[in-house]
Amino acid sequence: MTHAPLHLTDSDFDAYAPEKSTSNAYSRPRLEVKQRALAWARGVITRLAELGITVDVHGSDEHPTLRNKKRVECQWVFFWRDAAAREELERLLDAGRSISAAIDDPSPYGRHAFLALRIASHGVEVCFAVHPEAKVDIDNLRARLAAKDAGEGAGPTALAAELTAALRALPEQFAVGVGADRVAASAATPEAIEAMLERAAEGQVPLWIGWAVPREVALEHAEILDEQLEDALLALAPIYTLVAWSRQNDHIALDRRLEGIERERARTHAEASAQTEKWQAEQAAARERSLAEAKARGEAEGPRVSSLPFGFGARAGHGAPRKPSLDTLFKPSQKAEGDRDRRGGKPQEAKAPQAPAAPREREQTPAPPRVAPTPAASAPAPVASSNTSASAPTTMEKGARVRVLSGAFVDKIGIVGELDGRGGARVLLGLLSTRIEVTDLALVPEGRERPAIQSSHRRPTAPMPRKAR
């Protein structure tokens, strides 16, 4: 991996202990875990984008808030629809939702299917989850599962078979279930998933598909855990694509409903714009009538004569007072000048600004002569290793090292656990083991010639002669 590591430690898991969940005193350690998890998630987003899946990433609150019921029992990192796709569905999800329901569960994450990383005190997990509140995704999943009983031929039946095949392709450590009631993902059937959806709706909990790693195992394999979690999320990407609604995965004819909503919105917007323009025109006409009436009243009344006493509105013999100008605004009045003359005061002459003193010339000191550095002795060329690569195996057998050529674990190196005789192999990939077709595997030589590593340390140069005093 080339992105930021997750690198979970004992203190990271301890930050989510039950006795600390309601306290703000542990928000700083939880914030550090959240920041590392979000930085690690950028690599997952890049790999999902290569598969054509565009998602946004968000982290749950690290301090007690209304969204987490004032308890921080874990840290979630959600991979869900981008903002444009969420906004498109929010109009349908908000329809019929009461205000009390929005207040009771203000978090929007349960209203969309998502991939996620979850860190708690007992361990870490990656999963795909869909909550009963995600009505669009749930209806889309039910339509896919019900296609098997529709009796419309091989086409609809293939929809349910496609989902079960994707579940069987997951590694052996993956499970599916509701709450603590989970079974192996490879054993899930359309009927079992339908029953799980019923239990999820009754308990208002999500349908969960994923891989949970206990705390002790995560700490023991901390060096490879980050990469294994990332690969596990990529393995769940086909499940997300088959369940989450999109215009390319629409089994409930929602596209037409959205088009109708868009037309209704456009009509409502046009009506509101027309009413606004009409109101603005009426206001402009009213202003013009007011100005015309005021102008007519002024012409009928003629010039007004000031009713102020003599000397207030105009000075005697001088007519109306002059308007102030830039020349007279700051010029002292004649009365003020007369008072100053009677007191015998004289205006002070403005002092001419003194020119700044010329800076003293800096003493020019000759720069010390530069001493040419002694050229360092050239480092000897690295000696090529005399080790030769071992002969590559020619047959696929148990215990052979192989490289994965396609799929979620592409370019990963694993060990063949067993061959099933049907063209597949059980490959051990660190903490995970999964079945991969032999055609998607390539044998890797047991030994390889390792290039010599050139030292980065420089040879010490000869000391420079001391300057004679």
Side-chain angles (χ1 to χ4, degrees), residues 130-168:
V130 55
H131 196 275
E133 288 294 327
K135 299 183 184 302
V136 174
D137 298 317
I138 289 291
D139 292 344
N140 202 47
L141 175 57
R142 288 184 183 276
R144 178 181 287 276
L145 295 174
K148 184 175 181 180
D149 300 329
E152 298 178 8
T157 305
L159 295 177
E162 190 177 10
L163 178 60
T164 55
L167 290 172
R168 287 195 301 267

Side-chain angles (χ1 to χ4, degrees), residues 336-413:
E337 291 180 356
D339 295 341
R340 187 175 56 189
D341 292 342
R342 285 193 297 270
R343 290 195 302 266
K346 295 183 179 180
Q348 298 181 357
E349 297 180 357
K351 295 182 179 180
Q354 298 180 358
R360 293 183 298 178
E361 298 182 357
R362 298 180 179 178
E363 297 179 0
Q364 302 291 334
T365 58
R370 295 185 177 180
V371 180
T374 305
S378 59
V383 181
S385 174
S386 59
N387 297 333
T388 57
S389 60
S391 58
T394 57
T395 58
M396 188 77 65
E397 58 186 8
K398 183 177 179 180
R401 298 177 71 247
V402 292
R403 181 187 300 275
V404 183
L405 301 180
S406 63
F409 303 97
V410 62
D411 290 334
K412 304 297 180 183
I413 303 296

